[in-house]
Amino acid sequence: MLWRSLMSGDLRSAFITLALSLPAIVLCLSIHEAAHGGAAYLLGDRTAHDSGRLTLSPLAHIDPAGFICLLLFGFGWARPVPVNISNFKNRRTGMAVTALAGPAANFVTAFIAYCLYFVVWIYGNSVFMQVLGEFLAIVASMSVGLGVFNLIPVHPLDGSRVLDAYLPFSWSLKLQRYQPVIILLFIFALWRGWLDIVMMRVSNIILGWAAQLMSMLL
């Protein structure tokens, strides 16, 4: 994202990317965390609600380091939403659904953003509409990056919470012991660009679904 623009040396492109990325990040992170809180609330846990996290206000969710990573590299994280699994009727299912709600909300957001992008691309011919289309593309890309990144099984990301919900306790302990190894593998995957490939493939799948829907409607 912004990192690529900076490395290209095109300061004008970097400035435009920065101006469009900031509101996109706020939107994507807020939707992700609000989805966690909303899922927990619907399943009987009011912890996020009582903590003021059941909101789209970015002030309740933004983590500075995760914000900067999402801005520079296209993936990142926010402050974890507090959850009390004892309030769920089925603790494992409740935790898994709550954890998956964030990435799922991001993928839905990406789908909607791509659909709107096609509408703008077909009917927009002004400078404003071109800028809006670029903003929607950034929202979609960052939503995919946020969703994919948070499915990685590293604490405290959502992927680890899903695994913890269903893995035997002894396996969860073993997985926690290997967290440093998993993190090193993750850093290696970043360095090799493998995570970019995964995000691109997921993005292309969602883009294809949006294109099929819009071709039927427009």
Side-chain angles (χ1 to χ4, degrees):
M1 300 302 295
L2 181 59
W3 181 256
R4 293 193 184 97
S5 297
L6 290 172
M7 290 299 97
S8 69
D10 187 348
L11 295 181
R12 180 177 180 275
S13 176
F15 177 78
I16 294 174
T17 300
L18 175 62
L20 296 177
S21 295
L22 289 175
I25 294 172
V26 169
L27 177 64
C28 296
L29 288 174
S30 298
I31 289 175
H32 180 97
E33 296 303 325
H36 284 314
Y41 183 81
L42 292 175
L43 292 171
D45 178 32
R46 294 178 54 90
T47 306
H49 176 273
D50 295 340
S51 301
R53 300 296 301 280
L54 194 58
T55 175
L56 288 176
S57 171
L59 297 178
H61 305 302
I62 297 298
D63 176 274
F67 182 93
I68 292 173
C69 282
L70 190 58
L71 175 63
L72 290 176
F73 307 116
F75 57 85
W77 60 92
R79 290 172 50 216
V81 167
V83 176
N84 186 350
I85 63 173
S86 63
N87 292 323
F88 296 140
K89 292 181 179 180
N90 186 314
R91 294 187 179 186
R92 289 190 172 188
T93 300
M95 189 66 254
V97 171
T98 299
L100 288 173
N106 286 132
F107 295 144
V108 171
T109 300
F111 177 77
I112 294 173
Y114 275 135
C115 288
L116 295 175
Y117 172 82
F118 281 117
V119 174
V120 171
W121 182 69
I122 293 173
Y123 295 107
N125 54 10
S126 64
V127 174
F128 170 78
M129 296 300 281
Q130 291 176 358
V131 172
L132 178 60
E134 187 172 346
F135 170 74
L136 290 169
I138 291 175
V139 169
S141 177
M142 286 190 170
S143 292
V144 170
L146 188 60
V148 170
F149 177 77
N150 277 275
L151 289 176
I152 296 172
V154 176
H155 286 280
L157 299 180
D158 301 325
S160 67
R161 297 177 184 271
V162 176
L163 284 182
D164 287 345
Y166 290 107
L167 283 179
F169 183 68
S170 60
W171 289 25
S172 295
L173 288 179
K174 290 180 181 179
L175 186 63
Q176 290 179 24
R177 292 195 198 105
Y178 289 107
Q179 286 296 298
V181 176
I182 296 175
I183 292 174
L184 287 176
L185 290 174
F186 169 65
I187 294 174
F188 180 75
L190 283 176
W191 178 66
R192 296 290 295 177
W194 294 343
L195 189 61
D196 287 340
I197 294 173
V198 173
M199 289 190 294
M200 183 64 68
R201 289 183 177 177
V202 173
S203 183
N204 287 338
I205 291 172
I206 297 175
L207 177 62
W209 290 344
Q212 290 178 8
L213 178 62
M214 290 296 100
S215 66
M216 293 186 294
L217 297 178
L218 299 178

